[in-house]
Amino acid sequence: MDIIVKKNFKHLSGEIEIPSDKSISHRAVILASLAKGKSVIKNFSSAKDPLSSVGVCKNLGVDIELNDNTLTVNSNGTFIKPEADLYCGNSGTTMRLMSGILAGQDFSSVLKGDASLSKRPMKRIITPLSLMGAKISSENNHAPLEIEGTSLHGINYALPIASAQVKSCILLAGLFAHGETICTEKTPSRNHTEIMLQSMGADIVIHNNSIKIKKSTLEPLHTEICGDISSTAYFLVAGLIVPNSKITIKNVGLNPTRTGIIDVIKQMNGDIKILNKRELNSEPAGDIEVCYSPELKGIEINGEIIPRLIDEIPVIAVLATQCNGCTIIKDAQDLRSKESDRIKTIVTELKKLGANIQETPDGMIIQGKTELYGDCEVECYSDHRLAMSLYTAGLICKKEILIKNFEWVNISFPEFWGLFNKLM
């Protein structure tokens, strides 16, 4: 599906509620499937990626029903050997987290993905799982992954990269391993897995950047999931750069391992306020208000903040085109291993719109403030976050743009277009 984006509205205004957090939804269905008893998860995500996790767990024998965004999971706490290969779609989270669990089962299984997922690196999980005794065969460290379930043993592993998916994979394998599994990260990554494991009674200890876990029996999960801050990012940026806009986004997750974009907006002199702060099942949440900010300034983004905003960097690049001065993004080389090479693709496509942006090995340099012209076609490279970032850029282009294959947005945010229309 190709769509045309044009500025046929005066400004963006109003109040919206962002759909459920995708990362938490993945973990909720996966961990609930490992708990003996009935779990009820309210406000579960309707995006394709979390539904891939639902499908995999169903094919492992778990009774799961989704009605009106409420997910009910009835499990005896164990998986059964699947009758066919387990299809993860486009979801790296599904494949990487399930690999840790399946490595410690008493049966063999195969995890497959779509063409895009099959290009993404899996050595980052194969290496630590192999150190735990896992038996995994792959095609040059890419999916499909053939996993021969076996007895695992705990390890002490220092993460070479900041990755919540790798960390979670190791911790979930640790649930089935003999002895203690210790995972240490240099830079904190999103910690939804640890929070949920604690709430479900796992034998887990968190001290600074080190997490220890032992074999555990999980209690059923009863939770409500907050809104996804990664999905919120496009509305934050749009509110800041579309003249005369004012937007309030309700019920957004504010986990400090995910709020790097809020810190960046404040550093850029953006008009942003956090309202109605509260806690939703051990996860901080609140409402966010943003207003048009004509005096944004360029900054340098690097180091420890990068894992806290890695998924938002493409739309931050759009924001940077409207900042006075230079914005430099460094230490983001892991963007090259996402659904697309997000450094190369966002630079290539924003240049088409008229942005003054250069690619670097680990990031990009953006000179602003630049008027985006448009009047062209842009590609999303089968990447949902790139598609949404380009849509956001299209809102301020002088002339319309056409985004090819915009349906990839449904991977994470099928409500995206409708919510923007509500604000116009």
Side-chain angles (χ1 to χ4, degrees), residues 90 116 119 338-342 344-350 352 377-387 390 403-406 408:
N90 189 249
S116 174
K119 295 176 182 177
K338 297 291 185 177
E339 284 85 335
S340 69
D341 177 343
R342 285 184 178 155
K344 181 177 291 294
T345 54
I346 194 63
V347 168
T348 298
E349 300 309 304
L350 285 182
K352 292 180 183 178
E377 292 185 3
V378 290
E379 302 283 344
C380 72
Y381 302 87
S382 305
D383 188 331
H384 54 119
R385 299 205 186 278
L386 193 69
L390 293 171
I403 306 176
K404 305 283 288 183
N405 303 312
F406 194 72
W408 282 96

Side-chain angles (χ1 to χ4, degrees), residues 17-31:
E17 184 162 347
I18 288 295
S20 169
D21 190 283
K22 188 164 69 83
S23 293
I24 299 176
S25 293
H26 278 293
R27 289 153 174 81
V29 65
I30 290 171
L31 292 180

Side-chain angles (χ1 to χ4, degrees), residues 315-335:
V315 79
I316 289 173
V318 175
L319 178 61
T321 68
Q322 303 307 299
C323 291
N324 295 303
C326 181
T327 296
I328 301 172
I329 300 173
K330 296 180 179 179
D331 304 322
Q333 56 269 24
D334 198 41
L335 280 176

Side-chain angles (χ1 to χ4, degrees), residues 154-170:
I155 57 170
N156 189 336
Y157 191 75
L159 286 170
I161 58 172
S163 170
Q165 291 180 0
V166 177
K167 174 177 64 175
S168 298
C169 172
I170 295 167

Side-chain angles (χ1 to χ4, degrees), residues 112 117 178 204 214 223 233-234 256-257 295 300 312 360 417:
K112 287 187 173 180
L117 180 55
H178 298 288
I204 184 171
K214 296 179 180 178
T223 191
Y234 309 99
T257 64
E295 299 300 325
E300 187 163 317
E312 291 75 66
T360 64
W417 201 6

Side-chain angles (χ1 to χ4, degrees), residues 93-385:
T93 302
T94 305
M95 181 166 285
R96 290 176 175 142
L97 269 60
M98 291 305 306
S99 293
I101 295 169
L102 293 171
Q105 302 301 307
D106 60 0
F107 55 79
S108 297
S109 55
V110 177
L111 290 167
K112 287 187 173 180
D114 66 9
S116 174
L117 180 55
S118 298
K119 295 176 182 177
R120 296 180 66 183
M122 293 297 155
K123 184 177 181 181
R124 56 185 60 184
I125 60 164
I126 292 174
T127 296
L129 290 179
S130 297
L131 291 173
M132 298 178 78
K135 299 177 181 178
I136 303 176
S137 301
S138 67
E139 297 182 4
N140 195 26
N141 291 311
H142 291 81
L145 303 181
E146 298 180 11
I147 302 174
E148 182 183 339
T150 189
S151 177
L152 303 179
H153 55 80
I155 57 170
N156 189 336
Y157 191 75
L159 286 170
I161 58 172
S163 170
Q165 291 180 0
V166 177
K167 174 177 64 175
S168 298
C169 172
I170 295 167
L171 294 177
L172 294 180
L175 287 176
F176 300 92
H178 298 288
E180 187 175 68
T181 297
I182 304 173
C183 188
T184 305
E185 49 186 355
K186 297 176 185 176
T187 304
S189 59
R190 58 187 68 179
N191 62 352
H192 304 304
T193 301
E194 300 97 292
I195 289 173
M196 198 169 291
L197 283 168
Q198 283 183 315
S199 74
M200 297 176 74
D203 188 348
I204 184 171
V205 177
I206 302 167
H207 181 68
N208 295 328
N209 288 354
S210 182
I211 307 111
K212 301 178 183 179
I213 195 166
K214 296 179 180 178
K215 272 190 177 183
S216 303
T217 299
L218 300 183
E219 301 166 1
L221 179 65
H222 297 274
T223 191
E224 181 176 348
I225 301 174
C226 54
D228 194 315
I229 192 166
S230 295
S231 298
T232 302
Y234 309 99
F235 297 88
L236 299 180
V237 171
L240 294 166
I241 65 177
V242 174
N244 304 313
S245 293
K246 182 178 180 180
I247 304 172
T248 301
I249 305 111
K250 307 282 286 185
N251 193 38
V252 181
L254 297 174
N255 185 306
T257 64
R258 300 279 300 280
T259 53
I261 187 169
I262 294 176
D263 296 341
V264 161
I265 289 170
K266 289 179 178 178
Q267 291 172 40
M268 287 179 163
N269 202 32
D271 186 347
I272 184 169
K273 297 181 179 70
I274 309 298
L275 311 170
N276 191 24
K277 291 183 182 178
R278 56 197 182 277
E279 191 167 281
L280 193 63
N281 300 292
S282 301
E283 290 278 359
D287 306 331
I288 307 177
E289 179 187 275
V290 288
C291 297
Y292 174 57
S293 302
E295 299 300 325
L296 294 167
K297 62 179 182 179
I299 62 171
E300 187 163 317
I301 305 168
N302 59 26
E304 292 188 357
I305 199 171
I306 293 295
R308 297 175 54 226
L309 48 67
I310 191 71
D311 285 338
E312 291 75 66
I313 287 177
V315 79
I316 289 173
V318 175
L319 178 61
T321 68
Q322 303 307 299
C323 291
N324 295 303
C326 181
T327 296
I328 301 172
I329 300 173
K330 296 180 179 179
D331 304 322
Q333 56 269 24
D334 198 41
L335 280 176
R336 297 194 183 276
S337 300
K338 297 291 185 177
E339 284 85 335
S340 69
D341 177 343
R342 285 184 178 155
I343 294 175
K344 181 177 291 294
T345 54
I346 194 63
V347 168
T348 298
E349 300 309 304
L350 285 182
K351 277 185 176 180
K352 292 180 183 178
L353 303 182
N356 185 347
I357 182 169
Q358 297 177 352
E359 176 183 349
T360 64
D362 65 344
M364 59 199 78
I365 300 170
I366 307 107
Q367 300 285 349
K369 185 175 183 177
T370 307
E371 186 173 59
L372 300 184
Y373 190 73
D375 195 25
C376 62
E377 292 185 3
V378 290
E379 302 283 344
C380 72
Y381 302 87
S382 305
D383 188 331
H384 54 119
R385 299 205 186 278

